Amino acid sequence: MQRACSIGGFLLLVVVVAGCSDNERRSAGGYASTSQTDTTASNELGEMSLEEITEINFSSGRGMISLEEGGSDDSYLLVVSASNTTSGNYTVQLADLSLPSSLIASDHLALSSSYFSSEDPEEAEFHQFLGEIAVSLPDSDERIIQQSSLLSGLSKGPSIGDKKSFNVLSSMSSIARCKIVTGELRAITSNLLVYVDKEASDNIKDDEIEELALNFDQNSIPLERDLFGNESDLNNDGYISVLMSGVTNGMASSGGIVTGFFFPGDLYSKSASNPCSNEQEIFYTLVPDPKGEFGVPITAEFATQNILPGVLCHEYQHMISFNRHALLGEGKTEEPWLNEAISHLAEDLCGYGLENYSRVKLFLDKPNTTSLVPTTSPSLAERGAGYLFLRYLYEQQPKGEAFLRNLLEGNSSGAENIVASFGDGEFADLLNRWSLTLALSELGLTSDSKYNYQTPFKHSVTGNRSGICLRCDAEDGRGTILKGPAMAEVDSFPIAVNLNATSSQILIVSDPPSSLGIIGTGGPNLTGTMLRLVR
């Protein structure tokens, strides 16, 4: 039997933290290998007395939990994760090991969800495409040539109303397809030039642009430079340009919308192989479009209050990351999932994280099939997972700002970068600890800060909510209600559950057998946690 449920009515007796023992961490990635053997790690948990902490070890993807009296009439919260960072889908069986035939699972468990939201696959493919461009761009000798300081000094400075032609990518799959857009300079700050597509000039007012530009210039840019480092200035003009264009709105054809992007090709010379380069530091955003002339209708108020402030913070991190990793570093860009996670966290830290809640909701509805570390550009649900994971590590690290700086300073990328920058535990340990936090945070079942997100607070500059809650009204202007991660109740065995790489299954196990087996097939590197609950 299985059904979706909440654990708010249970009383916590004990937290059991699980993972692979040190001598079992072997094979690629440093974690326990899963060969096809009969080796099963035994875990004698007994009665699991109050606040007792016990590891659940897995050997070759198998673990046996011995409970006194078959767990009595108690229920247990069980979180099982696959720490494999390569793509894969696994079956995990829960079985009574005292019955040999029980190893043949008779049923597959499905998590129910009351909320589904359509993702825009085109946008995910577009960001994947941009990531691939970043890897294949020319060597450093083809970067745009800096202007001399003499010529820069003699040049006329920018003025409001100036017109300039830009090449704007119009395809999600080709860097050779772009439209020429005339942009009008509508705002100038000490660091920023904001242009608006002449075809949409009436869609946004001057005071809306000025407020957007000043908030970004005075608050977000200094914060991100302090956290992540500086962007490049290859054209030596001292500015970051932003172009708000309907071309960006219209890039998606599936009913979705591209809110903004950073194109690394702009930092390389215009050429036959890179014809759309603007040879400067620039990123692109949508433009308000209340009548839907360019794509999905979007009001100026929603664009300027909900979307654009976060987009500016988000894309700016990508620009800084490319400079730190690719231009100043050894040419290796950050993996897409972590690059996006950092950018989504940047939105939050700047005080503009409202849009993260809808992505988090998508992840919480399907934690067992949403990989934290996807091998391609992350989907909206995977972005929600990445943001939650990085937010958790940032809060858990006493020197959270130093942790973020480390992510952009080293030569590592992806999971390896996380481990090196965080400095406390292997990736499997961090994944396991975070997965338990998803199940427990805000329920009052434990006061241990290791298993709770910090309480959200009002951002000192923007007044918006900063931080994350997993069970709340998001108040994000979209009507998003968060109810924690989907979980299901199991009270009969055997049962089989599906698990993607770097994802977690959260289960309520009622009246388990005295010898509860957890058996992964297909090569998962399993970690897990178990909490005893009583009604």
Side-chain angles (χ1 to χ4, degrees):
M1 177 180 179
Q2 63 271 355
R3 54 187 179 273
C5 62
S6 167
I7 61 174
F10 290 102
L11 171 67
L12 175 69
L13 289 186
V14 63
V15 175
V16 181
V17 179
C20 304
S21 61
D22 289 340
N23 62 355
E24 290 173 331
R25 288 190 178 113
R26 55 192 183 272
S27 80
Y31 313 126
S33 65
T34 306
S35 58
Q36 297 301 317
T37 70
D38 293 329
T39 304
T40 302
S42 179
N43 299 271
E44 302 288 339
L45 303 187
E47 293 186 354
M48 298 173 66
S49 60
L50 183 64
E51 295 185 358
E52 176 186 2
I53 299 177
T54 307
E55 278 194 346
I56 297 177
N57 295 313
F58 289 91
S59 177
S60 299
R62 302 165 65 94
M64 183 183 74
I65 301 171
S66 298
L67 299 165
E68 289 191 2
E69 301 179 4
S72 302
D73 295 324
D74 295 335
S75 295
Y76 298 79
L77 172 68
L78 177 63
V79 182
V80 180
S81 305
S83 64
N84 308 59
T85 55
T86 55
S87 179
N89 181 267
Y90 310 102
T91 296
V92 177
Q93 300 179 55
L94 275 65
D96 183 348
L97 292 186
S98 65
L99 303 174
S101 62
S102 69
L103 292 180
I104 304 175
S106 60
D107 193 14
H108 275 261
L109 187 61
L111 299 187
S112 66
S113 173
S114 60
Y115 176 91
F116 292 93
S117 178
S118 61
E119 299 184 23
D120 182 8
E122 284 187 300
E123 183 174 2
E125 290 174 5
F126 177 51
H127 286 280
Q128 172 69 12
F129 170 62
L130 291 179
E132 292 170 354
I133 291 172
V135 174
S136 61
L137 282 168
D139 294 329
S140 59
D141 58 351
E142 293 190 41
R143 297 173 194 166
I144 52 180
I145 301 173
Q146 294 186 6
Q147 303 169 8
S148 70
S149 58
L150 175 61
L151 289 177
S152 296
L154 294 175
S155 298
K156 174 182 175 293
S159 299
I160 296 295
D162 285 352
K163 309 295 192 302
K164 185 174 181 179
S165 292
F166 295 93
N167 302 305
V168 184
L169 288 180
S170 57
S171 168
M172 290 186 168
S173 59
S174 172
I175 64 171
R177 291 172 58 187
C178 50
K179 292 183 179 180
I180 298 176
V181 168
T182 299
E184 180 181 2
L185 186 55
R186 298 278 294 274
I188 303 173
T189 68
S190 58
N191 296 290
L192 202 63
L193 302 176
V194 181
Y195 293 86
V196 177
D197 188 335
K198 281 289 291 179
E199 293 188 8
S201 60
D202 295 334
N203 290 13
I204 185 168
K205 298 176 182 178
D206 287 337
D207 58 346
E208 293 171 324
I209 299 174
E210 289 170 4
E211 180 181 5
L212 191 68
L214 285 174
N215 286 338
F216 181 54
D217 182 88
Q218 296 176 3
N219 303 315
S220 301
I221 288 179
L223 184 147
E224 293 197 63
R225 284 177 176 170
D226 184 55
L227 286 176
F228 307 125
N230 284 41
E231 74 281 5
S232 59
D233 186 17
L234 296 179
N235 67 340
N236 200 32
D237 70 347
Y239 291 103
I240 304 162
S241 291
V242 175
L243 175 63
M244 302 170 66
S245 172
V247 176
T248 301
N249 298 53
M251 292 185 76
S253 60
S254 62
I257 191 167
V258 176
T259 57
F261 64 94
F262 161 67
F263 173 45
D266 283 318
L267 302 184
Y268 293 82
S269 298
K270 189 173 181 178
S271 64
S273 60
N274 189 32
C276 296
S277 174
N278 286 297
E279 299 187 337
Q280 64 181 102
E281 282 72 19
I282 183 173
F283 47 84
Y284 309 84
T285 77
L286 58 73
V287 69
D289 186 19
K291 296 180 180 179
E293 297 174 278
F294 306 107
V296 176
I298 180 170
T299 66
E301 180 181 8
F302 192 77
T304 57
Q305 298 302 313
N306 262 57
I307 296 179
L308 291 175
V311 168
L312 295 177
C313 297
H314 184 109
E315 302 305 334
Y316 184 46
Q317 191 284 137
H318 287 321
M319 182 179 286
I320 295 173
S321 178
F322 192 81
N323 183 45
R324 300 299 303 281
H325 281 281
L327 301 184
L328 298 180
E330 296 183 352
K332 186 177 183 180
T333 56
E334 184 54 83
E335 291 183 16
W337 74 270
L338 182 52
N339 201 350
E340 294 299 339
I342 299 171
S343 277
H344 286 301
L345 180 60
E347 297 175 36
D348 191 0
L349 297 178
C350 289
Y352 298 111
L354 288 178
E355 289 295 287
N356 283 325
Y357 281 95
S358 60
R359 304 177 186 107
V360 165
K361 173 66 176 174
L362 290 170
F363 161 66
L364 292 177
D365 282 345
K366 46 184 180 181
N368 65 308
T369 58
T370 303
S371 294
L372 171 64
V373 183
T375 55
T376 59
S377 183
S379 67
L380 297 180
E382 289 163 347
R383 287 166 182 259
Y387 159 71
L388 280 179
F389 181 62
L390 202 60
R391 177 83 213 185
Y392 173 73
L393 297 181
Y394 170 74
E395 292 182 357
Q396 291 294 310
Q397 177 56 255
K399 297 181 179 180
E401 289 77 13
F403 162 61
L404 295 181
R405 281 194 293 273
N406 290 343
L407 288 173
L408 276 79
E409 286 180 353
N411 294 321
S412 302
S413 61
E416 181 183 346
N417 194 9
I418 288 284
V419 172
S421 299
F422 191 75
D424 180 19
E426 298 294 336
F427 187 74
D429 302 325
L430 300 177
L431 175 67
N432 187 59
R433 197 184 310 165
W434 170 64
S435 298
L436 181 57
T437 300
L438 295 175
L440 294 181
S441 187
E442 302 162 44
L443 289 178
L445 296 176
T446 175
S447 60
D448 192 335
S449 60
K450 186 182 293 185
Y451 305 115
N452 283 282
Y453 279 96
Q454 295 174 5
T455 303
F457 56 92
K458 183 177 290 188
H459 193 275
S460 60
V461 175
T462 68
N464 295 327
R465 177 188 285 169
S466 189
I468 190 67
C469 52
L470 303 183
R471 297 165 170 88
C472 64
D473 182 344
E475 300 177 357
D476 61 350
R478 292 178 175 267
T480 304
I481 304 295
L482 301 179
K483 299 180 180 180
M487 54 186 74
E489 188 166 311
V490 180
D491 57 11
S492 63
F493 304 89
I495 199 77
V497 297
N498 292 322
L499 196 62
N500 277 1
T502 56
S503 71
S504 301
Q505 268 279 15
I506 304 175
L507 308 168
I508 301 296
V509 181
S510 299
D511 195 16
S514 58
S515 298
L516 176 63
I518 305 174
I519 303 100
T521 59
N525 297 322
L526 294 180
T527 63
T529 57
M530 193 168 186
L531 287 77
R532 187 177 185 177
L533 308 167
V534 294
R535 298 184 186 280

